[in-house]
Amino acid sequence: MDPTDTAAETDVRRRIPRTDTVMSDPRLLRAAGRLGAARVKSAVRQAQQRAREGAVAPDAVADTAVSLLPRSAGGLRPVINATGVLLHTNLGRAPLSAAARRAVQEAAGPTDVELDLRTGLRARRGRSALAALRAAAGAAEAAHVVNNGAAALVLAATALASGRDIVVSRGEMVEIGDGFRLPDLLVSTGARLREVGTTNRTTAADYAEAVGPGTAFLLKVHPSNFRITGFTAAPDVGELASLGVPVVVDIGSGLLAPHPLLPEEPDARTQLTAGAALVTASGDKLLGGPQCGLLLGREELVGALSRHPLARALRVDKLTLAALEATLTGPGTPTGEALDAAPEGLTRRAERLAALLDAEGVDVRAVPSEATVGGGGAPGVTLPSAALSLPERYAEALRTGTDPVVGRLESGRCLLDLRAVPPADDERLADAVRSVGRR
């Protein structure tokens, strides 16, 4: 080896700043307060090693360390949902509203979640959130909240039907995702299932024939992720309620009141008014709130559920209660805004972004698109939308970029559907596309 090479290498290493010197950079000091000193120090050492290997200049160590730091101390990364699926399960379903996010921040410290500040005595957990839920549902005498939709149904079956019969149509024995099947879930509670009818046709008479002394309740499940069409029949809640046995309805998607764009999607208010004794639903779907399970219905039934020992294991934390209440009482949610977005407005946004990026040399065009609700809601319903169409290579590059964007591939192109993208994120989206175009 040439001695001058060794000398140059030694000189470079000597110019690499010490760890404490780099850590004194104001940007890294702020990051240590946000992420913890250990994580920042690890990034500094990685940057120093890159300098030793000649990948970065010694005077760029601090900049490199800053670039290696995550945005937050948590491992979850925010993404732009440009899939055209409003409630994408892999992306966390419903995004919280600004009001709900603020409520979560305010509830992060000590709160009066189980304390009556006026009397100094213990109070019912989440009482204001439950009151807001009852008011929003309209026809509910009482409400309870657990940690997800499946838990709501499990609590109902455990508290009301352990060792007894649940009568359910064969056409509603659904798989709810990730391999979890409704029959397995219900049997795990100790309840017995009495299947009636056929896959495509079940009548009120089928339920009536199955009712006996051991019947706990009749269960009606909305098949939220598929549709059966053609020669079909299913009784409505009013018909079942006339049989003299409590009717439990799992509406799934969390729609509390009818929505004009989703006429076939069951809602809690309508089911309760028709005679359902109990309605279960998810909070992170069409309601647009945090992940939780909603139980709405008769006071004696909801009271029995809330006092059951399992309710303690399934209860939600104060952050969920705060987000739920703000969702129910605050301004519109991102989910509601995406659902109600006018197709003409989406087209104008796509055309503006396409023109902007095309002028910068990006192979892009605005195209019509079709969006869906997703998350097990409104199966078969499509929503007219608009998208940016880009070369296929953009899909992976955008997904793995600094500010991840998740789109979809269609006919050999990467489509970025705008229906689930808030207008305020249009510039973020454009910047992400630009960054790929520069590679």
Side-chain angles (χ1 to χ4, degrees):
M1 178 183 290
D2 189 328
T4 57
D5 292 341
T6 303
E9 182 179 343
T10 302
D11 182 62
V12 168
R13 290 180 177 176
R14 285 177 177 171
R15 290 191 291 114
I16 295 173
R18 290 160 45 98
T19 300
D20 56 352
T21 301
V22 182
M23 289 286 289
S24 67
D25 183 290
R27 296 170 298 173
L28 295 173
L29 286 173
R30 289 193 296 271
R34 188 178 76 252
L35 304 172
R39 180 168 287 187
V40 174
K41 187 173 290 186
S42 175
V44 169
R45 287 174 176 162
Q46 291 179 58
Q48 290 169 324
Q49 183 59 34
R50 291 188 184 185
R52 293 187 191 97
E53 295 167 353
V56 300
D59 59 1
V61 167
D63 290 341
T64 302
V66 170
S67 71
L68 292 172
L69 292 172
R71 292 176 57 170
S72 69
L76 297 177
R77 296 183 64 188
V79 305
I80 295 177
N81 175 15
T83 63
V85 180
L86 274 57
L87 302 170
H88 200 300
T89 298
N90 301 139
L91 301 181
R93 293 184 180 158
L96 294 180
S97 66
R101 296 182 192 199
R102 284 193 297 272
V104 168
Q105 286 183 319
E106 291 174 0
T111 70
D112 61 344
V113 64
E114 286 188 27
L115 178 68
D116 184 330
L117 294 174
R118 184 179 58 83
T119 64
L121 301 176
R122 185 168 186 163
R124 186 180 182 190
R125 185 180 183 85
R127 55 205 176 278
S128 57
L130 295 176
L133 182 56
R134 286 197 307 275
E141 295 176 3
H144 187 66
V145 182
V146 292
N147 55 15
N148 62 31
L153 194 53
V154 164
L155 179 58
T158 303
L160 306 177
S162 182
R164 303 182 69 199
D165 295 340
I166 298 174
V167 182
V168 60
S169 168
R170 287 187 174 89
E172 298 174 2
M173 302 289 275
V174 300
E175 183 173 310
I176 58 177
D178 199 24
F180 290 98
R181 294 178 172 177
L182 182 69
D184 299 336
L185 205 64
L186 294 173
V187 169
S188 73
T189 69
R192 297 187 300 265
L193 296 187
R194 288 288 305 275
E195 300 177 33
V196 297
T198 63
T199 301
N200 60 318
R201 290 180 66 82
T202 305
T203 66
D206 292 323
Y207 286 90
E209 290 174 10
V211 170
T215 302
F217 59 80
L218 310 183
L219 175 62
K220 191 165 180 60
V221 180
H222 176 52
S224 56
N225 52 10
F226 71 95
R227 294 179 69 187
I228 298 177
T229 59
F231 187 54
T232 64
D236 59 32
V237 170
E239 292 178 88
L240 297 182
S242 69
L243 300 179
V245 180
V247 178
V248 176
V249 182
D250 179 15
I251 62 171
S253 69
L255 195 62
L256 296 186
H259 193 288
L261 292 180
L262 308 172
E264 296 183 17
E265 190 71 10
D267 66 277
R269 186 177 301 172
T270 299
Q271 302 306 312
L272 290 167
T273 302
L278 186 70
V279 168
T280 65
S282 295
D284 58 346
K285 296 183 181 179
L286 286 172
L287 180 61
Q291 177 181 298
C292 59
L294 313 178
L295 295 121
L296 299 155
R298 295 180 190 167
E299 191 166 5
E300 70 274 12
L301 291 184
V302 176
L305 301 181
S306 65
R307 291 188 297 272
H308 192 276
L310 183 60
R312 172 76 181 200
L314 301 178
R315 78 177 189 179
V316 294
D317 70 339
K318 61 183 180 179
L319 303 183
T320 301
L321 290 168
L324 176 62
E325 183 174 356
T327 298
L328 292 164
T329 63
T333 66
T335 298
E337 291 168 0
L339 185 62
D340 295 334
E344 318 85 69
L346 296 171
T347 298
R348 286 194 296 270
R349 288 171 58 197
E351 290 175 345
R352 184 188 74 82
L353 288 171
L356 187 68
L357 293 167
D358 178 69
E360 299 174 19
V362 177
D363 176 7
V364 60
R365 58 181 181 268
V367 298
S369 180
E370 287 189 343
T372 59
V373 172
V381 174
T382 57
L383 304 166
S385 188
L388 299 181
S389 175
L390 296 156
E392 184 174 353
R393 73 176 184 87
Y394 274 74
E396 181 178 358
L398 285 168
R399 194 177 64 248
T400 57
T402 303
D403 196 6
V405 178
V406 183
R408 71 176 189 268
L409 290 175
E410 194 171 292
S411 302
R413 299 282 288 183
C414 170
L415 295 191
L416 304 181
D417 191 297
L418 297 183
R419 187 171 273 274
V421 179
D425 281 346
D426 280 359
E427 296 312 312
R428 277 181 65 201
L429 186 67
D431 285 343
V433 172
R434 289 189 187 99
S435 68
V436 175
R438 288 193 291 266
R439 295 182 193 176

